Amino acid sequence: MSTYLHDGIVFDLGVPHLDVTGVEWRWTGARTETGEPLMQASPSDSAPIPLPDVYAMHGPLIPVLRPITAAMYRQVLEAS
């Protein structure tokens, strides 16, 4: 899991994030020279934008939760 700390908030870069208008943003896997994750609206043909800029212009950003799979349930039950 790759994370990024911005403004006291830890962002899980492995999940998409929704902005206040419902646009989904995903990490491109790349970073700026200063280490900021580059995000891209999905779907989009525009250039990636650093996460702090996305947060300032479109925030707050809300992580899109993944559905719980049977494998996840099994892993939890087997760990008990």
Side-chain angles (χ1 to χ4, degrees):
M1 169 173 38
S2 189
T3 60
Y4 180 73
L5 177 64
H6 174 70
D7 235 5
I9 301 167
V10 177
F11 290 90
D12 178 357
L13 299 175
V15 300
H17 289 76
L18 294 177
D19 68 19
V20 294
T21 63
V23 174
E24 185 174 286
W25 292 86
R26 293 178 179 267
W27 182 40
T28 64
R31 294 180 183 262
T32 65
E33 295 149 358
T34 58
E36 298 169 335
L38 289 170
M39 307 294 284
Q40 191 159 31
S42 178
S44 175
D45 56 356
S46 62
I49 303 171
L51 187 145
D53 295 346
V54 173
Y55 186 80
M57 293 184 295
H58 305 285
L61 299 175
I62 304 155
V64 176
L65 300 178
R66 297 179 189 144
I68 298 173
T69 65
M72 290 174 176
Y73 277 118
R74 193 170 23 261
Q75 184 180 11
V76 169
L77 292 173
E78 289 173 353
S80 303

